[in-house]
Amino acid sequence: MDWKTGTHKCRVTFGKDIQKIEFETYAIRPIRTVQLVDASHIDYSYKYADRANLNELFEQRGDSDDILMTKDGEITDSWYCNTAFSTGTHWYTPQRPMLAGVRRRHSLETNQMSERVIHAEDLNQYTHFCLFNAMIAFGEIILPTTAINQG
């Protein structure tokens, strides 16, 4: 691995003690479309090494590149990212994400966005959506809401 170029990710797996530390090159997957999937039956409030439930949902993406999860009709997150939606004048992030990530918290604290309940049935109120996480900056992946497959 060439540590002098590119972006790298460090993954620490732990329980009571550190079990494993891994480093890998990080590349953003190209995302052009997302599929809405119901995730009401899972809990992912902490970042777990076991992503089997999320991977099962990801398999429901069909021809889309990623998924956009809903819980009880509310938008939560994508497979690996938090989300935010633009009205054209302001960005809103779901009030109850599956995993409240660190970049999401920072974006809220710096007033880049506000929290709001975002129902899947109300997506027509938004022009664009953004996918972001600790490795992907807010604003780096922005797509029109027409890229969300709801069927």
Side-chain angles (χ1 to χ4, degrees), residues 117-136:
V117 172
I118 300 172
H119 290 98
E121 62 193 30
D122 297 330
L123 286 174
N124 61 347
Q125 296 177 19
Y126 304 94
T127 59
H128 292 82
F129 68 103
C130 177
L131 302 176
F132 58 97
N133 61 28
M135 302 295 294
I136 302 170

Side-chain angles (χ1 to χ4, degrees), residues 59-129:
E59 291 302 316
Q60 297 176 33
R61 73 188 180 284
D63 293 334
S64 296
D65 303 305
D66 204 340
I67 60 172
L68 192 57
M69 296 181 284
T70 63
K71 196 163 195 154
D72 302 321
E74 295 178 22
I75 301 293
T76 61
D77 313 76
S78 81
W79 185 48
Y80 257 100
C81 294
N82 285 127
T83 61
F85 293 81
S86 175
T87 59
T89 58
H90 191 77
W91 286 95
Y92 296 94
T93 190
Q95 189 171 336
R96 290 180 281 275
M98 290 274 199
L99 181 70
V102 295
R103 189 167 313 254
R104 178 184 179 276
R105 182 176 60 234
H106 173 75
S107 296
L108 286 166
E109 290 171 354
T110 57
N111 298 314
Q112 292 178 294
M113 63 182 73
S114 303
E115 287 183 314
R116 172 189 273 185
V117 172
I118 300 172
H119 290 98
E121 62 193 30
D122 297 330
L123 286 174
N124 61 347
Q125 296 177 19
Y126 304 94
T127 59
H128 292 82
F129 68 103

